[in-house]
Amino acid sequence: MRTVSAAGLALAAILSAGPGRAAEFRLTSPDLADGGKIADRFVFNSFGCSGDNVSPALAWSGAPAGTKSFTVTAYDPDAPSGSGWWHWVVADIPAGVTALPEGAGAPSAPGLPAGAVQGRTDYGSSAYGGPCPPQGDRPHHYIFTVHALSVDRLPVDPQASAAMVGFALHGTEIGRASLTALYGR
């Protein structure tokens, strides 16, 4: 019977771990808490809602090796549409960018990095459209996601719908990080 020493087990564990554990891909925001309520500043200003419709600041870290670009999306799976509601989509964010400032989703997109484009949301515009669930609904979940991609650019034009951008992501996404905030009225 062979006896394995504790030192031998420790050495085996170190050698099998490889060169180091990859950093965790994370999405954070100074404006949104995961599981928290979305402030009125980020709520839509129409359809009975009276927010400022400003996109929140987002930051990410720990992207997977091989990331060539990012896409950011904001989606409400609880919208009573049968298919949810796309609130924001930004494609072709260069790999060296790790944050979007508050207000980057304005129609003129002054806060977007060079080369990044906003796709068309379910509000029908290429800009951020904040939460505005139906009056009396339970709070909806708004999922903000940064997608790490293996390509520099997605094959979509700036007027592409969020669904088309999602389709183009398929097969090129190598990682994603999300945070979910809530809003109801």
Side-chain angles (χ1 to χ4, degrees):
M1 180 173 193
R2 290 177 62 180
T3 304
V4 179
S5 70
L9 287 175
L11 178 60
I14 290 169
L15 292 175
S16 68
R21 187 170 177 229
E24 180 185 356
F25 192 24
R26 295 191 62 212
L27 177 62
T28 60
S29 174
D31 301 324
L32 304 171
D34 198 27
K37 182 181 185 286
I38 296 175
D40 288 343
R41 178 160 176 69
F42 309 107
V43 172
F44 199 58
N45 190 7
S46 189
F47 299 136
C49 291
S50 57
D52 296 330
N53 202 43
V54 173
S55 61
L58 300 172
W60 51 92
S61 60
T67 298
K68 294 185 178 177
S69 70
F70 297 101
T71 294
V72 168
T73 59
Y75 176 70
D76 171 8
D78 304 317
S81 66
S83 61
W85 194 269
W86 291 98
H87 288 265
W88 197 24
V89 59
V90 183
D92 301 337
I93 300 169
V97 174
T98 58
L100 293 177
E102 181 179 301
S108 60
L112 290 182
V117 295
Q118 295 188 97
R120 192 170 28 84
T121 70
D122 286 339
Y123 286 118
S125 67
S126 295
Y128 172 81
C132 186
Q135 184 76 37
D137 271 14
R138 291 182 7 186
H140 287 204
H141 297 80
Y142 296 88
I143 305 168
F144 291 79
T145 304
V146 58
H147 307 262
L149 308 180
S150 63
V151 295
D152 293 319
R153 302 186 73 73
L154 289 176
V156 295
D157 70 41
Q159 288 301 311
S161 69
M164 181 59 79
V165 171
F167 180 78
L169 285 171
H170 185 73
T172 66
E173 183 181 85
I174 57 176
R176 74 170 62 177
S178 297
L179 69 83
T180 302
L182 301 152
Y183 185 78
R185 58 186 187 108

